[in-house]
Each structure stands twice: as C-alpha cells, then as structure tokens.
Amino acid sequence: MKLFVDTAHVPDIEALLPLGIVDGVTTNPSLLAREGGDPDAILKAICGLVQGPVSAEVVSTTADEMVGEGRRLALLDEHIVVKVPFGREGVAACKRLTGEGIRVNVTLVFSAAQALLAAKVGAAYVSPFVGRLDDVATSGMDLIGQVVDIYDVHEFATEVLVASVRGPLHVVEAATLGADICTCPAKVIDGLFAHPLTDIGLQKFLADWERAQAAKV
Ligand code: E4P
C-alpha cells in the first residue's frame, strides 16, 4: 500500500521525505488556505519535492469551470492530479478531464455507489473519507472494504485512496483491506513509528552495551 501525506505544509513533507516512505501528497482547499500565500506556488514546491502524485483540488462548482480549472492545475506540474468533488458536475468533469489524459482524484466520496460512478468515468483515484464517516457513527472501513471488493470484481483500474485518516489504526485497517493508498496527516505517520517496547528495548540494548564497555576498562 502506498502512503501519501495529507498536507499542504511544505516543512512536514521535507521532514518525511528522507525516510523513504512517502509516495505522494494530497491537498485540499482547507489545507492550502491554512498555509496562506500563493496556492499555485505551494503546489509547485510540493511537486518539486515529492516527484510523485500531488492532488490539487478545484474550487469551481460547474463541470465546465472544473474542466477549465483542472486543465490549469494540470499545467502547473506533470505530477499534479486534479481533485474534483463527487457530484453530477464532478463526475461529468472527471469524464472530460480523463478523456484529455489528465489524472483525476474524485473526492468527498461517502458511499459505494458514489465510488462505482467515479470508477465508471475513469477516475485515477477515488477518495472515500473514513474519519468523517466514523464521526457520524458509520464505519468508514466498512466502506473501504466494499469499494475494494467492487473494484476487484469489476477490474476497475481506479485506485482506492483512503482519506480523512485520523490515526494509525485506520492505516493498518486500510492495508489489511487491500486499499491502494492511505493519505495521512504527518502526525498519523509519526504514530506509525511509535511503540513503547521499541523505545524500552533500544534503551536496554544501549545500556547493556555501555556497561560492557565500562567493565573492559
Ligand atoms: C484528502 O484527500 C482529504 O481532503 C482529507 O483527507 C480530508 O481529511 P479531514 O476529514 O481530516 O479534513
């Protein structure tokens, strides 16, 4: 399973890249707005760093406008994937952009029916939001399992990109279910590293080693 970072904060990406575990980045209008500054410049900087897929979301609301905005975003960098919100307009825009060879990530997906329609119009990625479903007492992971099964049975090429991830357990569950990608805030990736027994074990190894060295002198 590929790991994307769900952020528009360049320092977070710079800190994670040397670890060799980051395959791409997802942004959304909220994340870019939080950074301030010029969103295009931020997206270009992220593309230059990551050299992998970077989702940039349209803020238009009609298919015609989404196509125009998507074309413009795609020209920013070859790594840009145009994100469109699910809906009639988004689905129509996805079909047209995909026809032009532009990769599309259909976002704000909350049902298997929506994921099916996104795949039918050739989305490169579909983004079901697991955390926001959990927030309304509906299992986000049940949806991931359903979408993975549907895409497998019908051999859709659309990749399942698990979004709205809130903790390491979402990542492990997504991997177990066979999702293609999990996009995580930097703090969730930090959580994937953490285990107290690793810390305790390392302290003991180093202390034993030091003691043995001291006994030699
Ligand atoms: C990424 O593609 C999504 O926009 C993001 O994961 C949404 O996360 P949130 O529900 O924490 O805002």
Side-chain angles (χ1 to χ4, degrees):
M1 186 179 72
K2 285 169 273 190
L3 268 187
F4 287 5
V5 195
D6 196 22
T7 188
H9 192 56
V10 170
D12 278 353
I13 298 166
E14 287 172 331
L16 287 167
L17 279 179
L19 300 172
I21 57 171
V22 173
D23 301 297
V25 169
T26 50
T27 68
N28 63 34
S30 306
L31 293 170
L32 280 163
R34 195 181 300 164
E35 295 307 303
D38 174 12
D40 287 0
I42 296 172
L43 288 167
K44 282 187 190 177
I46 294 173
C47 289
L49 285 168
V50 175
Q51 299 293 313
V54 175
S55 286
E57 189 164 339
V58 300
V59 289
S60 312
T61 53
T62 68
D64 281 345
E65 288 169 334
M66 286 181 198
V67 170
E69 194 182 348
R71 286 181 187 140
R72 191 191 67 74
L73 287 168
L75 285 175
L76 289 178
D77 190 283
E78 61 178 328
H79 295 102
I80 291 285
V81 173
V82 175
K83 222 177 178 190
V84 302
F86 183 84
R88 286 171 185 269
E89 301 297 320
V91 165
C94 176
K95 178 78 179 174
R96 287 166 59 186
L97 288 166
T98 298
E100 295 177 17
I102 294 172
R103 290 177 299 166
V104 175
N105 174 359
V106 176
T107 190
L108 287 170
V109 164
F110 292 94
S111 76
Q114 293 177 331
L116 174 63
L117 296 181
K120 283 189 68 66
V121 289
Y125 306 97
V126 68
S127 293
F129 277 31
V130 293
R132 294 192 197 183
L133 276 173
D134 289 355
D135 289 346
V136 294
T138 304
S139 168
M141 281 301 153
D142 281 357
L143 173 59
I144 298 304
Q146 254 186 313
V147 177
V148 168
D149 287 349
I150 290 169
Y151 285 9
D152 280 353
V153 167
H154 295 283
E155 297 182 349
F156 284 120
T158 305
E159 293 191 65
V160 180
L161 195 170
V162 179
S164 188
V165 164
R166 299 284 161 77
L169 194 54
H170 274 156
V171 183
V172 173
E173 288 173 337
T176 305
L177 289 167
D180 300 285
I181 307 154
C182 207
T183 188
C184 310
K187 71 172 177 358
V188 172
I189 295 181
D190 290 344
L192 295 175
F193 280 88
H195 200 294
L197 290 178
T198 302
D199 301 337
I200 292 165
L202 181 59
Q203 276 170 16
K204 182 170 178 343
F205 284 153
L206 294 177
D208 289 348
W209 185 259
E210 283 302 314
R211 245 190 319 275
Q213 300 308 306
K216 284 182 190 165
V217 289

